[in-house]
Every structure is written in C-alpha cells, then in structure tokens.
Amino acid sequence: MTPPAPLLRDALEPWCAAGVTGALRLLENPGGTVYLSDGRIAYAECPAACGVERLLTASGRLPGEAWRAAANVGRNHHRIGAELVQSGLITQAEIEAAGVLALYDAAFFLFDLATPVQFEPGARQPVGQLCSFELRTVCQEVDRRKRFLAEAWHDPSSDTAAVLPHRRLRSQIVALTALQWEVVANADRRRSPVDLARLLGRDTYTVMLEVRRLVRAGLVEPGRPGGSAAAESLAAVRARAAEPPPVMARPAPAEEPPAMPARVRLAAETADSAEELPALPRREVKRQPASQAGQTAENWVPEHVLHRLINGIGAL
Amino acid sequence: MLGIGKCLDHLMALHGVLGASIIDYASGSTLGAAGRGPASHQESYSAGVTTMMHTTMKAAALATVGNPAHVEQIVITAGNGFHLLHPLAGGTQTRMMLYVWLDRGIGNLAVTQRRVNSIAAQFSVN
C-alpha cells in the first residue's frame, strides 16, 4: 500500500538535513516553491501569498518601474534585492524584513499541504538571499500563526469569501487599526482577503487575521466564496483537505513533541492534507529526497523524523 | 546601510540592554531577535509585546490629548526592567517595531531612548 504524500514540512526535512541548495516545487494545486540555501529555508512563494515584489510595489513603498528596472538587471544573477538597495531606494533592513514576511506568509499556506513535490538542485530565488531560517523555526512560526488565527475567530470561511462590511452597525463607536480601515475601504463586496492583500501589498495572513477580527467584532461578514483564482484554489484545497480524516497524512503522529499538540488539530481544521486519488506520483517524489539523503526509500521518514524529534525534545 | 542583524547588534551594544527584537506587530511575527528574553521565549514575548502595542494604539486613537494618532515610543517601567516599544515610521507599508529590554539598574533610559530613535531612523530611507 502506498503511503500518502508527506506534509511539505516533513518532505523538507531530509533536504534540510542534507544541507542542500535548491528549490522544492509543488506540482499540484495551489502550487508554490520553497527555496533552500545550505539546508536552511531562504524563501518561499505561493499564489495565495504576497511575495516581496507585491509587498513593496502594491503597498506604494516602491514604484513598479523601480522594481522592474532592478529585476531586468538583477533577475538572472539572483540579486534584485541587492540592486534595489544599491540604488538607494530601500534599505537592507527593509528588504530583509519584506523577505521574512513573504517567506512566513507563503510557508503558512504551504507547509501543511500534502502534495507531490519536485526538487530542483541549485535553483535560487531571483530576489536574492534576504534571510535564512532553520526549518524548525519556520514550522514554529507557522504553528503560531495558525493558533493566532484560530484564536482571533474560529470560522475559516471568511478567509476565502468576499468581505462584506455591514451597512449598519448596532454599536455606537468603532475603533479600527489602519489595516482594518484599508480592508473596509477597499472591500468592494467581491474581493476576498486574498485579493485585498494583493491589492494593498500586505501579507495575506495579516489581512485574513484582521478580517477574522472584524468578523468577531460584528463589522464584516463573509459573503460568497471565491473572488479570484487564487482565493478559489485556496478554498478548493482546504475543502479537499477537510474530506479525508487528516491524521492519516502525518507520518508519525504519535511522536509529536509535546510543545506542539495543536498541530494535528489545526492541520485538520484549516489546511491542507490534500488527498487525491492517484497516488503514484507521490511515491516517486518521496523516493527522490531519500536517495539524495543517502537512506533507503522505505523507512526514511520515521527514522528521520524520530531522530529530529528526539533532538528537539532533548533541546527542550 | 543596516541589515536586520546589524540593527540588532547596534541595539544590543547599548549599555544595559538585555534583549532586542524586531517585531511585525500586524502579524505578531518576530523578524529578528538577539539577547535574552525575546530570543529564549520568543513566542510569548512577541505576543505580549504585540498585544501591548495594539492596546496602546487603540487607547491613543480614542484619547484627546496632544496628537494621539502618532505614538512614537511606548515605555513600560516594570519590575524586571524598562521595555521600549518603538514603532518604525515610514510609508504605509510599515507596521514593524523595535523592542528593547533594558536593565533598570545599569541602563540609562533617556540615553537609550535617543539611541533607539536614531537606529530606528536608519531602518527606512523615507
């Protein structure tokens, strides 16, 4: 029997442990890429998330032409960011911060997906090296974000549905954060949080978080699902993930470190163990990293995960 | 030109600073951390700091004294030291802050505040 594809965060383990540089690309919906640099997570992108380009240009921080000019010069040398810093339009700290936000935003959507992946050795992100994190750090941040989002408001339907601000309010006074104001001001009764994030140049996670808070405050309600292709594909992936019992997608659920018990539950609630009928391509992909890491195809997941977990528990 | 790591190094070099971090308070994510406190209990610290920020901003929005729409720095004097929260000014994209934990016995609050100001000013070019 073919085991189900591992979650992306588990699929990344052997690559990170082997200290490789390259890109892990998702082959199925919603698509996305995680870039590794010497075994550390250097960048990630996903259609639902906002990349560095959108964070900087759509927010008005940089004119679009400035980005395109830097991209023309720097794309092939993986140094768009360095070009921008050199031209004095932006500081190193700003571009690094944008890189971290873009990485976390994409990781939030990608890490609990169970889709086939393909590794491309040596591939690097065109924007250049802006930051790098241990896999464990990124996983912790993804888990924290999921928890934070669930605490803000339990219902995920507003994440991918059109944002409908209430036309009348029962309360007498309303206090909004600047981002909440931007969300309300730009909600045209069709745009979902994914679309609003792209429009505003904010990271999608933050917009989803603010929309959930607005829903809880009774200022906004989720309308029809969809709005854009990215939002629809995200909604479809989540719906698919909700169908099978999601625990089976975890390779070693019993070995969960005590610090993150919420992980399985949250994976079940929000994302993303996309289960599909054809199982063959997954098996292929699974074998690929194993041979790279120099282990047997049959047992690399449990051994490896167990090893990492024991180290992790020791470190705690 | 300061990168995030250099920026944190400068903050940590100030006399009496126990820990420093750069936090995106819209999402509650720590973008970089150094020293004690935020680095060892990163999650609970940045969550606490983020809540503090939101609460103060909300209170400031409804206050009527001065120019409450612009909060330059929040200082919390606590038993375990001074906590400085400095939102980074700059275009519409900015929702980050510097957080500095200063020892009450060794640190000089006024000097640290001015240094944090100047480091924050170098963070962004506008």
Side-chain angles (χ1 to χ4, degrees):
Chain A
M1 152 116 200
T2 313
L7 300 184
L8 184 66
R9 60 169 81 195
D10 298 321
L12 280 163
E13 280 258 11
W15 297 107
C16 289
V20 295
T21 298
L24 209 62
R25 299 191 194 280
L26 275 73
L27 299 176
E28 273 179 13
N29 239 357
T33 311
V34 178
Y35 291 93
L36 302 177
S37 168
D38 296 326
R40 291 164 66 88
I41 313 287
Y43 192 60
E45 54 195 15
C46 157
C50 269
V52 169
E53 177 180 4
R54 285 217 73 85
L55 287 178
L56 293 177
T57 56
S59 66
R61 177 65 190 82
L62 281 181
E65 305 88 67
W67 176 277
R68 281 190 289 278
N72 283 340
V73 181
R75 187 185 299 280
N76 294 330
H77 307 95
H78 317 289
R79 44 175 286 119
I80 298 177
E83 292 290 339
L84 286 170
V85 172
Q86 246 171 34
S87 65
L89 291 165
I90 195 167
T91 64
Q92 181 68 26
E94 277 179 294
I95 189 112
E96 282 178 12
V100 179
L101 286 177
L103 161 58
Y104 282 156
D105 199 25
F108 171 77
F109 293 106
L110 296 178
F111 267 38
D112 289 308
L113 294 174
T115 57
V117 289
Q118 189 175 43
F119 188 73
E120 188 184 319
R124 294 169 62 198
Q125 65 279 23
V127 70
Q129 178 91 15
L130 302 176
C131 57
S132 73
F133 293 100
E134 292 285 337
L135 174 62
R136 196 166 65 96
T137 310
V138 182
C139 287
Q140 280 171 352
E141 174 63 17
V142 168
D143 292 332
R144 188 197 66 80
R145 288 187 164 210
K146 296 210 150 148
R147 222 164 34 239
F148 216 51
L149 198 61
E151 279 167 16
W153 183 246
H154 58 87
D155 182 9
S157 65
S158 67
D159 292 353
T160 49
V163 176
L164 305 182
H166 283 298
R167 294 192 190 274
R168 293 189 192 285
L169 297 181
R170 288 180 181 280
S171 57
Q172 278 130 359
I173 192 163
V174 171
L176 298 181
T177 65
L179 179 51
Q180 286 174 341
W181 169 267
E182 287 174 24
V183 165
V184 172
N186 289 284
D188 65 352
R189 309 188 80 78
R190 283 199 313 276
R191 292 180 182 132
S192 68
V194 178
D195 312 311
L196 285 165
R198 295 182 63 78
L199 183 78
L200 298 171
R202 301 289 199 139
D203 57 304
T204 308
Y205 168 79
T206 306
V207 174
M208 283 182 174
L209 182 67
E210 295 289 20
V211 169
R212 284 206 193 190
R213 287 178 178 152
L214 287 168
V215 171
R216 183 173 67 179
L219 302 174
V220 149
E221 62 181 345
R224 273 185 309 171
S228 68
E232 269 165 25
S233 106
L234 180 65
V237 168
R238 285 182 169 190
R240 235 189 306 151
E243 277 164 20
V247 183
M248 64 187 274
R250 315 243 346 109
E255 257 74 39
E256 210 61 43
M260 335 175 182
R263 195 161 116 185
V264 174
R265 183 168 50 80
L266 286 169
E269 268 174 23
T270 49
D272 309 328
S273 47
E275 256 323 289
E276 279 214 329
L277 289 175
L280 275 173
R282 269 193 217 118
R283 198 179 165 83
E284 240 172 55
V285 173
K286 222 183 130 199
R287 218 180 293 128
Q288 215 175 351
S291 59
Q292 184 87 4
Q295 299 186 12
T296 67
E298 292 314 309
N299 63 357
W300 67 269
V301 171
E303 223 176 69
H304 221 91
V305 172
L306 199 60
H307 192 65
R308 273 295 186 100
L309 287 177
I310 289 167
N311 284 349
I313 290 165
L316 281 175
Chain B
M1 269 322 164
L2 294 182
I4 286 181
K6 267 278 183 299
C7 198
L8 289 171
D9 289 348
H10 283 239
L11 291 173
M12 287 305 295
L14 301 178
H15 195 58
V17 170
L18 301 171
S21 53
I22 296 177
I23 296 169
D24 172 60
Y25 59 85
S27 62
S29 302
T30 305
L31 303 184
R36 286 165 55 198
S40 48
H41 311 282
Q42 207 176 78
E43 194 165 304
S44 57
Y45 262 85
S46 66
V49 171
T50 304
T51 313
M52 189 68 220
M53 195 68 176
H54 277 296
T55 314
T56 310
M57 291 296 197
K58 274 214 166 126
L62 298 174
T64 50
V65 182
N67 179 11
H70 178 66
V71 175
E72 193 179 297
Q73 201 168 62
I74 302 168
V75 181
I76 303 162
T77 308
N80 66 348
F82 296 114
H83 301 266
L84 273 67
L85 283 59
H86 190 106
L88 293 166
T92 51
Q93 81 292 343
T94 315
R95 68 284 168 81
M96 285 175 250
M97 62 175 163
L98 303 179
Y99 165 70
V100 176
W101 179 21
L102 185 65
D103 187 288
R104 271 183 81 165
I106 311 171
N108 181 323
L109 180 59
V111 170
T112 310
Q113 278 184 295
R114 294 184 61 172
R115 293 281 168 75
V116 170
N117 268 340
S118 74
I119 291 169
Q122 292 175 59
F123 196 91
S124 174
V125 282
N126 60 1

